[in-house]
Amino acid sequence: MPHRPGFGRQGTDADPTGSSTQYELQDALKSDIDHGTSHVRVQETNSDPEYRGPDFTYNDQQDMHRLGKKQELRRNFRFTSILGFVAIAMGTWEVILSATAAGLTNGGTGGMIWMFVGSFFCFGTVVLSLAEMSSMAPTAGGQYHWASEFAPRSKQKVISYISGWMSTLSWQCGTCSGMFLLGIEIQGLISINHASYEPQPYQGYLFVILMVTLGLLLNTWGAKQLPLIEGIILVFHIFGFAAVLIVLWVLSPKNTAHEVFTNFENNGGWSKIGLSMLVGQVTSIYGLIGSDGAAHMAEETKDAAIIVPQVMYWSYLLNGAMGFVMLVTYCFCLTDVDSALKSVSGFPFIYVFQTGTGSNGGATGLTAIIIILGLAGATSFFASTSRQTFAFARDKGLPGHKWIGAVHPRLLIPLNAILVTYGFTILLSLINLGSTIAFNAIISLQLLALMSTYAISIGCLALKRLRHEPLPACRWSLGRFGLPINIFAFFYSCFSIVFVCFPVSTPVVASSMNYAIVMFTGVMAIAGVYYAVYARHVYEGPVVFVQDRPLEELAM
């Protein structure tokens, strides 16, 4: 495209919305296309008109047209609201409390704490790498788009297609795991308040349906108010943390520091305590994921190229710090690990609330805080999942892509992708009816697919840097530290993939098997068949729409 003055990236202070420059880039691109002077391809996903509301900046418009995408969604998130959105979606301190069974079995209190510290710093390199890529290409597609843009051009189509399926699977499983956890936590509350109650798998399944239905309502009829809701919930997230912390430190009996930090357990039957701790690290990783949810909301965030990476960075630091403080507090108050693991509620943290407050009523009140915040977090995760699914369908990577990739003309949300996410959660939760460790299988599948997408996208970026190939301009950069951070993040992601597939304990029987790798292989087989039969004819990879590629790449 011919050079035009003023087309360079603007600074952080965007042009006022509604100014004459707001549509200058779009009109110029249209002129070039009409006169045959540009190789630009703008992706046409459906017949909906491009959204031209007053809530996006010149930089947002420039980014969308560089990526070859139509602005179809309303940009109603700002820094505070998207920070609340991501902080709640991560929900590190809530998740650390809710999902400690695997960590206590494999590692004990000392193992959980030190694995959390190690995971925080190691996984932090992944977050930094993803944040930089989100500034280079702020799109709802996230990892599969970055894989397409940074992979070797001859391989980008297949690599991005595989990454897209993995990313869709991981986020869909993430929504399911959050809703699933809420359902069985409700059963745990009923158990401690009614001694005659015997939890049944079908009852937990019905609670999951209730939770995901509430998430559906908030993501559809409540979508326009979601940024306001997230800002309010962020305050509740912080005050709820303080409330639980104060109650436990003031009322609960305590272990000694020596018991907390040096107690390592290997109750999973593994050959060495080190291996046991690596198996138990799934607790830490599960609590730290989710900051890249901001990337999948990039097309609904104002000034996304700077706000999204900032939010990913700060939400990770905020949640990591809160998670560490809560984990240490929890371990100090966990005076009887065996009794906690055998608690009638099924959750060690509810047992700690019982012993800490000395009453079922107090435990119920504290657990209610966890459930309310958990629902808010799962709803945020639901939103990110639907946007990622929508983006991959928009690029024709999924069956039924025309329907899934559509935007509702009045609500301005990907309604069909939201409905797909709702249905997937209901279907996947059915495994609770046949497995006693279904939750562990779901989060293992989620982490397996998610860490795989991290490895692929970050690996592609690192390879591009090693080859000294040009990268897109970005407003949030790792600078000269980019390559070592990318390389470490890549190898850490590959390392983590191995251990998330392990079962909680040995010897393994059919009912305790971790079926994540089986389900993952099945989904990838479906993706392969769909690619061979149909997708290879229509899926090109999002990079074909990117506008600033060299001419030799355009010819490929």
Side-chain angles (χ1 to χ4, degrees):
M1 186 178 68
H3 171 73
R4 285 187 176 80
F7 268 38
R9 181 179 292 278
Q10 300 292 305
T12 304
D13 297 327
D15 291 352
T17 58
S19 68
S20 61
T21 62
Q22 175 131 0
Y23 305 112
E24 176 185 351
L25 178 60
Q26 180 181 358
D27 295 338
L29 289 172
K30 184 177 186 300
S31 175
D32 279 347
I33 294 171
D34 290 343
H35 290 85
T37 59
S38 174
H39 294 277
V40 170
R41 291 177 60 195
V42 177
Q43 185 176 28
E44 296 293 338
T45 57
N46 51 53
S47 59
D48 297 332
E50 183 162 26
Y51 177 65
R52 284 196 170 202
D55 45 10
F56 63 96
T57 67
Y58 178 84
N59 285 325
D60 291 324
Q61 187 187 32
Q62 185 179 28
D63 286 329
M64 288 297 286
H65 284 288
R66 187 192 79 81
L67 298 172
K69 307 295 185 185
K70 290 196 303 181
Q71 181 66 52
E72 299 177 278
L73 306 173
R74 182 187 292 112
R75 290 185 182 265
N76 55 353
F77 282 94
R78 307 295 186 266
F79 179 84
T80 303
S81 55
I82 196 65
L83 177 65
F85 179 96
V86 178
I88 296 303
M90 289 183 67
T92 302
W93 73 263
E94 298 95 329
V95 171
I96 285 296
L97 285 179
S98 301
T100 56
L104 288 174
T105 301
N106 292 294
T109 55
M112 279 202 306
I113 290 173
W114 295 116
M115 288 307 297
F116 183 88
V117 172
S119 297
F120 175 78
F121 286 105
C122 292
F123 194 79
T125 62
V126 174
V127 173
L128 290 173
S129 299
L130 298 175
E132 184 182 41
M133 287 190 287
S134 74
S135 185
M136 294 177 183
T139 169
Q143 290 93 308
Y144 86 88
H145 177 99
W146 304 328
S148 177
E149 188 162 352
F150 303 140
R153 288 296 174 256
S154 60
K155 305 293 191 301
Q156 73 82 20
K157 181 176 177 178
V158 173
I159 290 175
S160 64
Y161 177 80
I162 294 172
S163 182
W165 270 82
M166 288 180 177
S167 186
T168 302
L169 176 64
S170 66
W171 279 92
Q172 291 290 344
C173 288
T175 299
C176 181
S177 68
M179 299 298 180
F180 188 96
L181 187 59
L182 292 171
I184 56 179
E185 281 178 345
I186 293 173
Q187 283 188 292
L189 274 189
I190 298 174
S191 296
I192 66 171
N193 287 288
H194 299 278
S196 61
Y197 175 68
E198 295 183 4
Q200 299 297 322
Y202 81 89
Q203 296 168 337
Y205 178 67
L206 293 176
F207 282 127
V208 171
I209 293 177
L210 174 62
M211 293 295 102
V212 75
T213 300
L214 291 175
L216 173 69
L217 294 176
L218 288 170
N219 273 289
T220 50
W221 282 276
K224 196 170 183 179
Q225 286 74 40
L226 198 57
L228 174 62
I229 294 171
E230 296 295 349
I232 295 172
I233 294 295
L234 176 61
V235 176
F236 189 38
H237 175 65
I238 296 173
F239 278 94
F241 167 79
V244 173
L245 207 67
I246 292 171
V247 169
L248 290 181
W249 278 112
V250 172
L251 298 179
S252 179
K254 309 292 190 303
N255 292 314
T256 65
H258 182 270
E259 291 172 325
V260 169
F261 292 102
T262 64
N263 176 41
F264 300 94
E265 300 284 347
N266 180 10
N267 296 319
W270 302 101
S271 58
K272 295 181 180 180
I273 185 64
L275 177 59
S276 179
M277 290 171 61
L278 290 173
V279 173
Q281 73 176 322
V282 64
T283 294
S284 300
I285 298 176
Y286 184 60
L288 292 171
I289 62 172
S291 61
D292 55 315
H296 300 299
M297 302 299 291
E299 294 175 33
E300 295 169 74
T301 302
K302 189 173 183 178
D303 214 11
I306 187 67
I307 295 299
V308 167
Q310 286 178 345
V311 164
M312 290 174 65
Y313 174 77
W314 286 111
S315 64
Y316 186 76
L317 290 182
L318 172 66
N319 276 275
M322 294 173 73
F324 177 74
V325 171
M326 184 58 72
L327 178 60
V328 171
T329 300
Y330 171 75
C331 290
F332 265 100
C333 300
L334 185 59
T335 54
D336 189 341
V337 174
D338 289 337
S339 297
L341 289 171
K342 297 174 183 176
S343 169
V344 66
S345 68
F347 289 92
F349 83 92
I350 296 181
Y351 174 84
V352 170
F353 288 169
Q354 286 178 288
T355 57
T357 62
S359 69
N360 289 336
T364 300
L366 292 178
T367 305
I369 295 175
I370 305 297
I371 292 176
I372 293 172
L373 289 172
L375 176 59
T379 299
S380 296
F381 220 95
F382 193 141
S384 289
T385 300
S386 62
R387 272 55 173 188
Q388 191 284 328
T389 303
F390 154 76
F392 193 43
R394 178 177 60 186
D395 283 313
K396 303 179 182 179
L398 294 174
H401 55 82
K402 290 184 179 179
W403 185 77
I404 299 174
V407 173
H408 192 279
R410 183 173 58 85
L411 297 176
L412 295 177
I413 57 174
L415 179 61
N416 297 338
I418 291 173
L419 294 175
V420 168
T421 303
Y422 176 77
F424 185 90
T425 295
I426 290 176
L427 290 175
L428 185 59
S429 296
L430 284 170
I431 68 172
N432 183 46
L433 302 180
S435 174
T436 57
I437 57 168
F439 176 67
N440 187 64
I442 293 173
I443 64 173
S444 293
L445 178 59
Q446 174 192 0
L447 294 178
L448 172 59
L450 190 64
M451 298 306 289
S452 297
T453 67
Y454 292 162
I456 291 173
S457 57
I458 295 172
C460 291
L461 177 61
L463 180 61
K464 203 169 182 67
R465 278 190 156 122
L466 285 170
R467 292 179 171 181
H468 302 289
E469 296 176 0
L471 292 170
C474 61
R475 298 162 67 192
W476 196 95
S477 173
L478 296 177
R480 59 195 176 96
F481 299 105
L483 182 58
I485 289 175
N486 295 160
I487 292 175
F488 185 90
F490 170 75
F491 282 108
Y492 174 71
S493 298
C494 295
F495 173 81
S496 300
I497 288 170
V498 175
F499 291 100
V500 299
C501 298
F502 277 53
V504 175
S505 61
T506 58
V508 180
V509 296
S511 60
S512 63
M513 171 69 180
N514 186 342
Y515 289 98
I517 188 65
V518 178
M519 292 187 286
F520 180 81
T521 302
V523 172
M524 288 299 102
I526 293 172
V529 171
Y530 179 67
Y531 184 83
V533 173
Y534 179 74
R536 65 189 176 93
H537 301 295
V538 296
Y539 180 80
E540 299 177 273
V543 73
V544 301
F545 300 104
V546 174
Q547 296 174 11
D548 59 357
R549 292 178 292 149
L551 291 178
E552 61 269 20
E553 291 183 2
L554 291 168
M556 294 181 67

